[in-house]
């Protein structure tokens, strides 16, 4: 069947500074349970789950593929963002050093859709994107992926996406945008006059178009 994995590898063990790591990634994680590495690295990570493994020199986080469409970076660290589907032969690779993107590759089957930056040292022995991911992951973690014991300790977290309501959203009542069934955009605004508060309805100066849903790159995998 092949491997279908996605996540982030960092060249520092953040076990003692995990809150700091979450802050840098912009995440809010809630610990669920202790698991083993075999479970953490199982195929097709579900949305909302983050499984974490700490090597002696690095941190490996398994997350869903749709979270790996953009690069992650941390000051003074090397970060590999990867998504790999050997089932669909689709791959995404983004590698940063000290917040500078050094290499990015997106490939579906034999079509290299994106290829930017200087080649990594591991590319001298293979151009296959799957091998690039495995080998560069080993470089970043300080040990090969295949050398990690299946019963090694890992931890399961879930993303806590609850956020306080923005102040602007909570207090802004001066204007309202309505979308009637006929598709014509109008808006209502309140203004003061000598006769008291009145509402005026105006035609929006330009039509507001909702962009068509675009197929995300990871949907090639499914």
């Amino acid at each position: 069947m092949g491997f279908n994995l996605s996540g982030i590898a960092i060249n520092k063990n953040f076990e003692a500074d995990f809150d700091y790591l979450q802050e840098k990634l912009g995440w809010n994680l809630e610990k669920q349970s202790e698991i083993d590495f075999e479970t953490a690295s199982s195929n097709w990570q579900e949305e909302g789950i983050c499984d974490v493994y700490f090597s002696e020199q690095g941190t490996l986080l398994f997350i869903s593929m749709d979270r790996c469409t953009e690069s992650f970076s941390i000051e003074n660290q090397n970060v590999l963002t990867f998504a790999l589907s050997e089932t669909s032969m689709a791959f995404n690779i983004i590698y940063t050093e000290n917040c500078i993107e050094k290499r990015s590759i997106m490939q579906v089957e034999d079509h290299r859709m994106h290829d930017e930056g200087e080649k990594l040292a591991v590319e001298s022995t293979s151009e296959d994107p799957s091998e690039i991911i495995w080998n560069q992951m080993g470089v970043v973690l300080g040990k090969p992926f295949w050398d990690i014991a299946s019963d090694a300790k890992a931890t399961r977290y879930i993303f806590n996406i609850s956020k306080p309501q923005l102040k602007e959203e909570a207090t802004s009542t001066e204007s309202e945008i309505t979308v009637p069934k006929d598709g014509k955009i109008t808006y209502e605004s309140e203004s003061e006059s000598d006769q008291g508060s009145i509402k005026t309805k105006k035609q929006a100066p330009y039509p507001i178009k909702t962009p068509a849903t675009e197929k995300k790159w990871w949907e090639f995998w499914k």
Side-chain angles (χ1 to χ4, degrees), residues 172-178 186-193 196-203:
S172 177
T173 59
E174 293 183 356
S175 64
E176 299 175 353
I177 297 176
T178 60
T186 61
Y187 66 93
E188 295 179 351
S189 61
E190 294 184 358
S191 62
E192 297 296 330
S193 71
S197 177
I198 62 173
K199 288 188 176 182
T200 60
K201 180 173 289 188
K202 303 177 182 178
Q203 183 70 33

Side-chain angles (χ1 to χ4, degrees), residues 29-219:
L29 298 173
E30 179 181 339
K31 184 176 180 179
Q32 290 294 291
S33 60
E34 300 293 336
I35 57 175
D36 57 32
F37 186 76
E38 183 177 9
T39 301
S41 59
S42 59
N43 284 350
W44 297 121
Q45 190 67 279
E46 294 182 10
E47 174 60 35
I49 291 178
C50 176
D51 291 338
V52 184
Y53 165 78
F54 299 103
S55 67
E56 292 80 0
Q57 304 176 27
T59 300
L60 180 57
L61 306 101
F62 294 104
I63 54 179
S64 62
M65 292 187 178
D66 59 348
R67 291 184 180 270
C68 296
T69 59
E70 298 180 1
S71 64
F72 291 90
S73 59
I74 302 173
E75 294 89 342
N76 304 314
Q77 306 301 326
N78 301 338
V79 181
L80 172 69
T81 304
F82 65 92
L84 175 156
S85 173
E86 293 180 344
T87 300
S88 301
M89 296 302 294
F91 311 89
N92 193 47
I93 303 167
I94 310 174
Y95 177 68
T96 65
E97 293 182 353
N98 193 22
C99 298
I100 299 174
E101 187 171 297
K102 296 291 188 177
R103 189 76 170 110
S104 60
I105 298 171
M106 183 187 297
Q107 181 168 325
V108 178
E109 295 182 343
D110 294 328
H111 178 50
R112 185 67 61 95
M113 303 170 64
H114 182 78
D115 191 329
E116 297 289 341
E118 297 183 4
K119 289 188 175 183
L120 302 170
V122 298
E123 294 183 68
S124 64
T125 57
S126 177
E127 295 184 356
D128 180 80
S130 176
E131 291 188 16
I132 294 172
I133 291 174
W134 296 124
N135 293 335
Q136 187 63 21
M137 191 189 307
V139 171
V140 172
L141 294 177
K143 66 186 302 183
F145 176 91
W146 311 108
D147 287 354
I148 303 174
S150 60
D151 59 352
K153 174 187 173 183
T155 306
R156 171 154 294 179
Y157 293 84
I158 60 171
F159 284 89
N160 186 346
I161 59 174
S162 61
K163 296 180 180 179
Q165 187 179 29
L166 295 178
K167 183 178 181 180
E168 291 79 7
E169 295 176 348
T171 60
S172 177
T173 59
E174 293 183 356
S175 64
E176 299 175 353
I177 297 176
T178 60
V179 183
K181 293 182 179 180
D182 60 10
K184 294 181 179 179
I185 308 300
T186 61
Y187 66 93
E188 295 179 351
S189 61
E190 294 184 358
S191 62
E192 297 296 330
S193 71
D194 294 337
Q195 297 178 351
S197 177
I198 62 173
K199 288 188 176 182
T200 60
K201 180 173 289 188
K202 303 177 182 178
Q203 183 70 33
Y206 299 101
I208 301 175
K209 296 182 179 180
T210 302
T213 302
E214 296 182 357
K215 194 171 186 178
K216 300 294 189 289
W217 70 268
W218 69 85
E219 292 180 351

